Amino acid sequence: MDTVIERPAEASDKMSRKTYERELSNLHAELVKMQEWAKATGAKVCVLFEGRDGAGKGGVIKAMTERVSPRVFRVVALPPPSDREKSQMYAQRYLPHLPAGGEVVIFDRSWYNRAGVERVMGFCTNKQARKFLETIGGVEKAIIDSGVILIKYWLEVSPEEQTRRIEQRISDPRKIWKLSPMDLKSYNRWYDYSRARDEMFAMSDTEWAPWFVIQSDDKKRTRLNIISHLLSQVPYEAVEREPIKLPKRQKPKGYTEAAYARHRVPEVF
């Protein structure tokens, strides 16, 4: 039987772009504080994003990372495994991407592919999926015991909103790249994914690495709520830094701009 995911009462009105950008700007400032704290303390933060196709994982990750350093906030989105990787312990190919000191690593889908898309689409057997779920709790415990702050998010979208978003990808040339053949194949397997999700929660929602679930039909609120929650899960503090003073620019000492030929970009706008 499907797990019932409680959905909040529908918002009376849409969040305005102005309100969203103001709140996001405040959260970006806090993410920068968290970044500087991680660099200063050597903290290791790992964030997993899972969810149904079209649930908005990419939008959340983009909102989270647009104002921070890509050298600190690393996004990992692995391609399908090679033949060599298929012969390894399942989680093995993900482990080299875990954060070192001073890094925040964001997995856009993770080792939980085995419990979701691989299981539903027949890339692994039910026995393999259950074996993975029986052991992944121990793997995550070892990751956390090594000093990593591990946070797992599941984005849940309604059937109607998923349909609307996938139809947008089909019709919008800016979004067609988001639509993979796998998305189309998996679209009609809604309840297969529901059952796989339910068992994944039952077997991997542990005390040390719980799943945090959000209903993601409202993109703006989803992004703000997840970033706000992430910040609440990391014990960062503002890092003291020396006041910054812009130095004087050197004098030209006779230099004049060279008159060499330039290839100019046409100014069509």
Side-chain angles (χ1 to χ4, degrees):
M1 191 170 188
D2 279 359
T3 296
V4 176
I5 295 181
E6 294 184 8
R7 292 176 168 81
E10 210 166 302
S12 58
D13 57 352
K14 284 188 174 182
M15 178 178 286
S16 69
R17 171 60 62 175
K18 184 177 180 180
T19 299
Y20 169 70
E21 290 181 350
R22 182 184 68 242
E23 297 297 335
L24 185 60
S25 178
N26 293 335
L27 292 171
H28 281 157
E30 292 302 312
L31 284 170
V32 171
K33 287 182 187 178
M34 188 179 96
Q35 169 183 278
E36 297 307 297
W37 168 82
K39 288 163 57 179
T41 63
K44 299 177 285 186
V45 182
C46 183
V47 188
L48 310 188
F49 281 101
E50 296 288 346
R52 296 184 187 271
D53 294 327
K57 296 179 294 297
V60 172
I61 293 170
K62 183 178 179 182
M64 186 181 295
T65 57
E66 63 182 336
R67 296 293 181 179
V68 291
S69 170
R71 290 182 291 276
V72 177
F73 278 72
R74 293 194 294 108
V75 179
V76 177
L78 296 185
S82 65
D83 288 341
R84 179 177 181 276
E85 288 170 332
K86 288 177 183 177
S87 70
Q88 297 173 340
M89 179 184 78
Y90 183 75
Q92 185 174 341
R93 75 187 188 114
Y94 294 93
L95 300 182
H97 300 279
L98 290 174
E103 292 182 342
V104 179
V105 170
I106 300 168
F107 280 94
D108 184 354
R109 294 204 182 276
S110 66
W111 43 84
Y112 284 101
N113 268 342
R114 171 126 298 186
V117 62
E118 290 193 10
R119 183 178 198 175
V120 172
M121 300 308 296
F123 297 129
C124 73
T125 65
N126 282 331
K127 183 178 179 181
Q128 287 173 318
R130 288 197 182 96
K131 185 65 175 176
F132 161 79
L133 288 170
E134 287 169 359
T135 59
I136 195 60
V139 174
E140 291 177 349
K141 185 69 163 57
I143 291 171
I144 293 166
D145 288 346
S146 76
V148 174
I149 299 171
L150 178 63
I151 306 166
K152 305 187 301 193
Y153 290 109
W154 175 273
L155 279 67
E156 184 66 27
V157 66
S158 67
E160 298 78 16
E161 181 63 13
Q162 185 193 52
T163 298
R164 189 186 72 80
R165 292 179 185 179
I166 291 179
E167 286 177 343
Q168 271 191 343
R169 294 179 182 181
I170 294 171
S171 60
D172 190 336
R174 299 168 301 171
K175 297 180 179 179
I176 190 66
W177 64 271
K178 295 182 178 182
L179 189 66
S180 71
M182 191 61 61
D183 294 336
L184 296 176
K185 290 179 181 178
S186 64
Y187 172 75
N188 69 339
R189 301 189 181 186
W190 178 271
Y191 291 105
D192 288 342
Y193 275 101
S194 295
R195 294 182 181 94
R197 176 204 64 201
D198 294 350
E199 187 167 5
M200 182 187 77
F201 284 167
M203 298 182 71
S204 63
D205 184 31
T206 57
E207 180 182 347
W208 54 89
W211 280 103
F212 294 103
V213 180
I214 188 165
Q215 185 66 27
S216 63
D217 284 19
D218 186 320
K219 290 182 179 181
K220 293 188 184 78
R221 287 184 170 87
T222 296
R223 293 167 188 172
L224 297 178
N225 286 328
I226 287 181
I227 296 173
S228 176
H229 181 268
L230 172 67
L231 290 166
S232 76
Q233 298 297 301
V234 179
Y236 72 97
E237 298 176 346
V239 175
E240 291 282 339
R241 59 188 307 171
E242 293 292 325
I244 299 172
K245 184 179 179 181
L246 195 64
K248 290 183 179 180
R249 184 171 286 153
Q250 66 178 160
K251 297 186 181 301
K253 296 182 179 179
Y255 176 81
T256 56
E257 191 70 26
Y260 56 85
R262 290 188 173 93
H263 298 284
R264 305 282 298 189
V265 174
E267 298 180 4
V268 297
F269 297 103

